[in-house]
Amino acid sequence: MTNHFSRYESILDKLHPSFRKVILYLVIYLTIGTTCFYFVQNQIQGKKVNGVLDSVYFCVVTMTTVGYGDLVPNSATAKLLASFFVFSGMALVGMVLSKGADYLVEKQETLLIKALHMRDKVGPSVILEEIETNKVRYKCFVITATLVVLIVVGTVFLAEVEKLSTIDAFYCVCSTITTLGYGDKSFSTKAGRIFAIFWILTSTLCLAQFFLYVAEFNTERKQKELVQWVLSRKMTNVDLEVADLDNDRVVGAAEFVVYKLKEMGKISQDDVSLLLDEFECLDVDQSGTLSTTDLSLAQSS
């Protein structure tokens, strides 16, 4: 028993801190939710297969807002509990579980890049540069592949175990991962609900991450297009006047870089003003440059 516990602790220690936090919060949420719904199981109507299993299943369906309707609260107490757990569950999914999913996708992204460059025998620096350059694109590839696998697995399971037709199984999968949860098709067997506990959590979260990465990819693409336009656009006399921050009728390298970064949308005039104010505060002798003497005087004052 002690060996099993120490082995479990060693596995947790190897996990990333953010992923450990996800597991902890999820376990706490499901434990409290399952306990609460188990004690009011007589106040929840619908097709039941096992007290504890139904409570966990109802907790997951509530947290992910799938809400099939195969199990529904029919008392004031059960309805209040469901209302509390749906809001807390949505907060958990939004703030915690998505971070865990992002961490897993990044791990798979690294493995994908290593596999693509396996024959090239490139070093870690090349792999890191590739990840940084095409990070969002690879995230989209990984999450799309994962989503397709989850859809196929869910469809096959519903067809084989729940005995649904292929069309009905696919329809149930789509209504589940999009959290529509019409309720005319759902998991009604013991094996089905055990599978649903894990599959619903991963598939709904995976779809949410998919749309997030697609939006991020589109934003990054537009940003790159803007950068390319700024770099290819010819400077005019008007641009020089705007870029001349100190009004000395010439534009230095620093002023040129700041102006171009502003055009690219990477910084704003407010950012520049705040930095210039900080510089003036540190430049105690008003020489226009910073030295160790300036820093010492600024700290002492």
Side-chain angles (χ1 to χ4, degrees):
M1 185 73 178
T2 307
N3 290 333
H4 286 297
F5 183 72
S6 59
R7 190 182 301 170
Y8 176 72
E9 280 188 328
S10 65
I11 292 172
L12 282 179
D13 290 337
K14 292 177 182 177
L15 294 174
H16 191 272
S18 64
F19 199 63
R20 285 205 300 268
K21 188 185 292 185
V22 167
I23 293 175
L24 177 64
Y25 287 158
L26 184 59
V27 168
I28 291 172
Y29 177 89
L30 290 177
T31 301
I32 297 173
T34 301
T35 303
C36 291
F37 290 127
Y38 180 78
F39 281 115
V40 296
Q41 60 179 307
N42 293 330
Q43 301 171 40
I44 297 175
Q45 63 182 10
K47 185 175 182 179
K48 301 176 183 179
V49 294
N50 177 274
V52 175
L53 179 59
D54 290 337
S55 300
V56 180
Y57 170 75
F58 183 71
C59 193
V60 169
V61 169
T62 301
M63 177 178 68
T64 55
T65 69
V66 170
Y68 286 124
D70 50 355
L71 292 174
V72 293
N74 64 345
S75 72
T77 304
K79 288 175 181 178
L80 287 173
L81 278 174
S83 300
F84 170 77
F85 278 100
V86 72
F87 279 112
S88 56
M90 289 176 69
L92 180 67
V93 169
M95 294 188 296
V96 181
L97 296 188
S98 59
K99 291 182 181 179
D102 195 47
Y103 165 71
L104 286 178
V105 169
E106 285 183 357
K107 293 287 286 184
Q108 296 303 315
E109 173 194 355
T110 306
L111 292 174
L112 173 63
I113 295 171
K114 285 181 178 179
L116 290 173
H117 293 286
M118 190 177 293
R119 293 183 180 179
D120 301 334
K121 295 182 180 180
V122 296
S125 59
V126 177
I127 292 174
L128 287 173
E129 185 181 350
E130 178 75 12
I131 290 173
E132 193 61 34
T133 305
N134 299 301
K135 188 173 186 177
V136 180
R137 179 178 295 178
Y138 283 124
K139 276 186 177 182
C140 287
F141 287 157
V142 171
I143 203 71
T144 301
T146 306
L147 186 60
V148 169
V149 169
L150 286 169
I151 290 173
V152 171
V153 169
T155 302
V156 171
F157 185 90
L158 282 163
E160 295 296 323
V161 178
E162 295 290 338
K163 305 302 179 185
L164 299 180
S165 68
T166 305
I167 298 297
D168 285 343
F170 180 70
Y171 160 78
C172 182
V173 164
C174 292
S175 65
T176 299
I177 64 175
T178 55
T179 69
L180 279 171
Y182 288 123
D184 52 338
K185 305 294 179 185
S186 62
F187 298 88
S188 56
T189 64
K190 188 174 182 179
R193 289 188 175 176
I194 292 173
F195 171 81
I197 289 169
F198 301 98
W199 181 81
I200 290 174
L201 270 174
T202 53
S203 59
T204 52
L205 194 59
C206 187
L207 184 66
Q209 290 298 115
F210 170 77
F211 287 121
L212 176 66
Y213 292 151
V214 168
E216 192 177 343
F217 178 76
N218 286 330
T219 303
E220 186 184 73
R221 181 175 55 81
K222 289 179 181 178
Q223 180 64 37
K224 286 181 178 178
E225 289 175 356
L226 176 61
V227 169
Q228 191 61 39
W229 178 80
V230 169
L231 293 175
S232 61
R233 191 175 71 85
K234 292 181 179 180
M235 289 284 288
T236 64
N237 291 333
V238 175
D239 293 324
L240 287 176
E241 289 179 12
V242 176
D244 185 15
L245 295 176
D246 54 8
N247 297 315
D248 61 354
R249 303 182 69 81
V250 291
V251 175
E255 290 174 318
F256 177 79
V257 171
V258 168
Y259 177 70
K260 286 295 183 180
L261 288 174
K262 285 165 62 178
E263 271 200 312
M264 293 174 186
K266 300 205 179 271
I267 59 173
S268 65
Q269 183 58 47
D270 291 337
D271 297 327
V272 176
S273 299
L274 288 171
L275 293 173
L276 287 174
D277 290 341
E278 184 180 357
F279 181 87
E280 289 177 4
C281 291
L282 293 173
D283 185 18
V284 179
D285 60 5
Q286 301 298 310
S287 63
T289 58
L290 292 181
S291 63
T292 54
T293 305
D294 286 321
L295 294 179
S296 300
L297 290 173
Q299 288 172 1
S300 63
S301 62

